Amino acid sequence: MSDRDHLLQRDQVTNGSHLHQVAIVGAGAAGLGTAAALKEFGVEDVVVLDRHEIGASFRRWPREMRFITPSFTSNAFGLLDLNAIVPGTSPAYSLDREHPSGSAYAQYLNNVAAFYEIDVESGVDVCSLTTEDDGTFTLATADEPVRAQHVIWAAGEFQYPERNSFSGSDCCCHSAEVGTWQELEGERFTVIGGYESAADAAVSLVQLKKNVTVLARTATWKSDDPDPSISLSPYTRERLAWAHTTGFVNLVDGVDITSVREDGDAWVVQASDGREWASETRPILATGFKGSLGHLDGLIEYDEDGDPVVTEEADESTLVPGLFLAGPLLHHRGVHFCFIYKFRQRFAVVADAIAQRLGMDTEEAVAARREAGMYLDDLSCCVESCEC
């Protein structure tokens, strides 16, 4: 045991509160995935904190929403289910669904937490994170503070929608606020946005035989970029193409929205070029999520595009050693980690770094994760390219 570990152990006794080896904020795919990886690497003292419950963000999806990445049971052939967060599991197998709903996927996450015996503390709202003089962390909550040697921030994005995209955006209904599209009254709807959330909203409304106008800055449905992180996925393209054949959807691109205002019983959407669209129902805002990193002000560095800057070696804060990021918040080295099949490949990289600092031999665990295709430490290879 190192001198620092001796000091930490003594400090734990002096303060009378437990000092966890690792605290993870968020009990979603990223939080539970990194917790499971840490267990495989021999780190047992891990606590996962969530202000709601396991898979809370997935449980809040609109009832009609489905995973755009397909699940398929192919482990026997060395191909991990795209939506699995640990080796040897498959949401397709356990849920019997190719495109699971959010509530179904939350059940898969429950199964993972139970199998790995992950300590999940539900109903714990982390209000702030501070660093101590000895290099440890204190996570302030509504109840008792939680102390840890290392913190992994995996609070995600869905529960933090972007509601201030332009003037009057507070007049809109954010897509993340919809429990089911059947609850919206009206026959004609306006959707602002051009990516997955906007397309999903449009398709779901068309299935209810509603007329929908989609106002998008770029025509993502025409993009031929093979990376679904910056263009629509094939699953979404297929569904949107069907919606277009019904005649119920009007796709408008090249629209830079500047404001929304109420005008009597209608809402008027205005673009920078002066064009306006009147909507008889509250416009649906599908312009993305601001994420949870606002809780880490002063602890995370950002680049000129506003993306968090982390170390290439372990997705660690460049400002505060011991603070790591996991999940769709990762955007670095030109790589977008906004799908589970992408960001899960960094779970073991983080676990490896922490386990080594705790004096553990990680060679076998790293080899096992590499064999499973869940240990990506060379980001230079992350370039989407297709010959046809």
Side-chain angles (χ1 to χ4, degrees):
M1 183 180 292
S2 67
D3 291 339
R4 179 176 181 271
D5 290 331
H6 277 298
L7 290 172
L8 291 174
Q9 189 177 66
R10 186 182 66 185
D11 180 57
Q12 177 178 330
V13 174
T14 302
N15 286 301
S17 60
H18 182 69
L19 179 67
H20 295 280
Q21 291 178 321
V22 185
I24 300 175
V25 181
L32 296 177
T34 51
L38 285 163
K39 291 262 188 171
E40 291 180 5
F41 277 70
V43 183
E44 292 293 335
D45 186 9
V46 180
V47 62
V48 180
L49 311 173
D50 196 283
R51 62 176 176 168
H52 297 299
E53 59 186 327
I54 290 176
S57 290
F58 295 104
R59 298 179 194 275
R60 284 164 172 73
W61 278 11
R63 188 185 306 165
E64 298 83 359
M65 184 177 285
R66 296 294 181 268
F67 267 70
I68 58 178
T69 45
S71 282
F72 205 83
T73 307
S74 51
N75 290 342
F77 290 87
L79 299 173
L80 190 61
D81 188 316
L82 285 179
N83 297 315
I85 61 171
V86 291
T89 67
S90 171
Y93 177 78
S94 60
L95 303 176
D96 197 25
R97 295 289 186 275
E98 181 177 340
H99 293 275
S101 66
S103 59
Y105 192 76
Q107 182 56 54
Y108 163 74
L109 295 180
N110 267 320
N111 296 341
V112 170
F115 181 81
Y116 279 87
E117 298 182 341
I118 298 172
D119 179 13
V120 178
E121 302 288 338
S122 300
V124 178
D125 190 0
V126 176
C127 306
S128 65
L129 175 67
T130 56
T131 57
E132 306 301 333
D133 292 339
D134 60 2
T136 62
F137 297 89
T138 297
L139 298 93
T141 73
D143 298 312
E144 294 295 321
V146 177
R147 301 172 59 240
Q149 292 176 250
H150 309 89
V151 171
I152 300 174
W153 194 267
E157 296 182 321
F158 189 82
Q159 296 186 50
Y160 303 87
E162 177 56 72
R163 292 190 174 91
N164 299 302
S165 303
F166 44 77
S167 175
S169 57
D170 55 337
C171 297
C172 304
C173 169
H174 199 284
S175 60
E177 300 171 342
V178 178
T180 172
W181 294 104
Q182 297 180 34
E183 70 189 19
L184 300 189
E185 298 181 357
E187 297 302 319
R188 296 182 178 277
F189 293 86
T190 302
V191 177
I192 301 173
Y195 285 90
E196 296 292 343
S197 295
D200 185 76
V203 171
S204 297
L205 289 167
V206 168
Q207 288 175 334
L208 296 171
K209 295 183 171 20
K210 310 293 186 179
N211 286 280
V212 183
T213 297
V214 177
L215 305 177
R217 184 172 295 169
T218 58
T220 54
W221 48 87
K222 297 178 183 178
S223 173
D224 59 358
D225 196 299
D227 185 355
S229 294
I230 54 179
S231 62
L232 295 182
S233 67
Y235 178 67
T236 300
R237 287 173 183 270
E238 182 179 7
R239 297 168 65 230
L240 193 58
W242 165 82
H244 197 259
T245 64
T246 67
F248 284 101
V249 64
N250 178 30
L251 302 175
V252 184
D253 61 275
V255 181
D256 182 18
I257 303 299
T258 56
S259 67
V260 172
R261 69 179 187 276
E262 292 189 60
D263 186 3
D265 294 332
W267 288 262
V268 178
V269 181
Q270 185 169 38
S272 58
D273 58 8
R275 285 182 293 172
E276 292 186 344
W277 292 264
S279 178
E280 64 184 47
T281 56
R282 286 177 65 197
I284 296 166
L285 194 62
T287 52
F289 306 87
K290 63 180 180 180
S292 60
L293 290 182
H295 293 280
L296 302 180
D297 283 347
L299 304 179
I300 296 291
E301 181 184 0
Y302 296 89
D303 63 19
E304 57 187 14
D305 295 322
D307 293 328
V309 177
V310 293
T311 64
E312 184 173 354
E313 295 76 17
D315 300 339
E316 187 174 12
S317 169
T318 56
L319 302 179
V320 181
L323 173 60
F324 301 83
L325 299 186
L329 297 169
L330 286 175
H331 296 274
H332 64 101
R333 309 302 190 272
V335 182
H336 298 259
F337 287 92
C338 50
F339 281 95
I340 289 173
Y341 76 87
K342 293 185 176 186
F343 64 70
R344 72 183 181 189
Q345 296 187 71
R346 299 292 288 182
F347 296 163
V349 175
V350 172
D352 186 20
I354 293 175
Q356 287 194 46
R357 293 178 194 183
L358 294 172
M360 299 173 183
D361 183 357
T362 64
E363 186 175 351
E364 289 188 11
V366 168
R369 281 285 173 141
R370 283 194 190 279
E371 185 177 359
M374 292 187 69
Y375 194 98
L376 177 65
D377 56 351
D378 180 9
L379 299 182
S380 65
C381 69
C382 298
V383 178
E384 298 279 359
S385 61
C386 300
E387 295 298 329
C388 60

